[in-house]
Amino acid sequence: MLGLFDSKFKKKVFPEIDIKYVKAFDVFLQKRGCSGNTRKFYFKALRACLNKAIQDKEAPESTYPFGKGGFNITSLEEETAKRYLQNGYMEKLKTTVMDNSTMEMTRRLFLFTYYCYGISFMDAALLTKRNIVQYNGGNSIVYKRHKTKEAKKVKPIQIGITDTIQELLDWFAANTILISDYLLPIVSREYKGEQLYNHIRSRFGRTNKNLKNLATALEITEMKLTSYVSRHTMAMTLQDNNTPREVISQILGHSDLATTNTYLDNFSSSVIDEAVKVL
């Protein structure tokens, strides 16, 4: 996105990325209709780059645009509309086999991401046979989130392959064309690097269009069905079954509870009433 904002960004020196530059970038993002949370994502990435540059003594601290008195990234955070399916709709997705092959593949991709702890579309697309490892007598999918894999001390996410997940993997292997060692029929060509990233983003858009058609076929009308919905639905299903938020946060691969809380509704009054009985 910085490349769209500033065509000469790659030639910039660190002192030029100052508070004035950051504020102009924020205005640019607002004009493009980016929400506060989306803008927060871009600025956190920029801040991480500058922090690394300062740590490596490649950039001066004097022009650092964040921190005390600087651009406040936290203030961009917004309460987001919760995007999760009620049990009845989720049951439809689990049990309704579609006659159309594209719709059935789309339904199973959605279920795969749901059962795999709400794995993101990008991370699911990049899964290969190398991500399957033996652990405690069974097989697990082990991966690092593409979004945070370069962060310090980031831990891999481990997903035990249940019978349900294995059945989905077997279906993809038998009914779709899988390229190289990929587990899912998302990547359709032997791309690498930026080409691979752009290819997956393109497939992401196509899959969301297919999910829209699937929602219409299943009469899911309460919300727009997208790949993100599986992640939010998984998180809310865990909360509804009294899973502690700290555990949900770890399952989602979040580094803090604040991020997890954006996925979840406030606790119901019955949960609060039960909790305060210890007072």
Side-chain angles (χ1 to χ4, degrees), residues 54-109:
I54 291 173
Q55 180 183 343
D56 294 343
K57 301 188 183 304
E58 296 289 339
E61 294 186 33
S62 58
T63 55
Y64 185 66
F66 305 108
K68 187 176 180 180
F71 187 85
N72 187 355
I73 296 177
T74 305
S75 67
L76 301 177
E77 189 170 312
E78 299 173 336
E79 180 72 19
T80 57
K82 302 304 185 289
R83 295 173 288 182
Y84 59 88
L85 293 170
Q86 300 297 329
N87 289 338
Y89 287 133
M90 195 62 214
E91 195 60 29
K92 274 189 176 182
L93 277 163
K94 289 180 180 179
T95 59
T96 307
V97 178
M98 307 301 294
D99 293 331
N100 180 281
S101 59
T102 298
M103 290 297 96
E104 181 61 9
M105 182 183 73
T106 301
R107 183 183 75 90
R108 287 177 176 269
L109 281 174

Side-chain angles (χ1 to χ4, degrees), residues 104-257:
E104 181 61 9
M105 182 183 73
T106 301
R107 183 183 75 90
R108 287 177 176 269
L109 281 174
F110 184 91
L111 291 176
F112 180 85
T113 61
Y114 171 81
Y115 287 119
C116 287
Y117 303 173
I119 187 173
S120 74
F121 187 86
M122 177 65 70
D123 291 330
L126 292 171
L127 291 177
T128 68
K129 292 178 181 178
R130 293 187 296 276
N131 291 104
I132 297 180
V133 299
Q134 285 193 330
Y135 183 78
N136 282 348
N139 287 332
S140 293
I141 294 172
V142 180
Y143 74 100
K144 286 187 177 181
R145 296 184 69 195
H146 181 270
K147 188 176 179 179
T148 57
K149 65 181 181 180
E150 301 300 331
K152 289 184 178 180
K153 299 181 180 179
V154 65
K155 294 182 179 179
I157 294 173
Q158 181 171 314
I159 303 165
I161 298 180
T162 62
D163 291 343
T164 301
I165 293 174
Q166 187 60 57
E167 188 274 331
L168 289 167
L169 290 173
D170 291 343
W171 188 91
F172 291 130
N175 295 278
T176 68
I177 298 173
L178 300 178
I179 302 299
S180 298
D181 287 336
Y182 287 108
L183 298 181
L184 303 177
I186 297 176
V187 176
S188 61
R189 295 187 182 183
E190 299 260 8
Y191 286 133
K192 292 183 180 180
E194 187 174 351
Q195 272 192 321
L196 175 60
Y197 176 82
N198 291 334
H199 174 65
I200 294 173
R201 292 299 300 177
S202 175
R203 299 284 289 189
F204 172 73
R206 184 183 303 177
T207 298
N208 278 334
K209 287 181 180 178
N210 291 337
L211 283 170
K212 181 180 179 180
N213 294 333
L214 179 62
T216 299
L218 295 178
E219 299 181 335
I220 298 174
T221 58
E222 71 171 24
M223 68 170 59
K224 182 179 180 181
L225 190 62
T226 70
S227 61
Y228 291 120
V229 172
S230 71
R231 186 167 174 82
H232 286 251
T233 303
M234 182 278 302
M236 275 304 300
T237 301
L238 292 179
Q239 175 168 290
D240 288 346
N241 285 275
N242 302 315
T243 304
R245 287 197 174 190
E246 292 82 0
V247 175
I248 297 174
S249 185
Q250 183 172 333
I251 288 171
L252 287 167
H254 291 159
S255 58
D256 58 74
L257 277 176

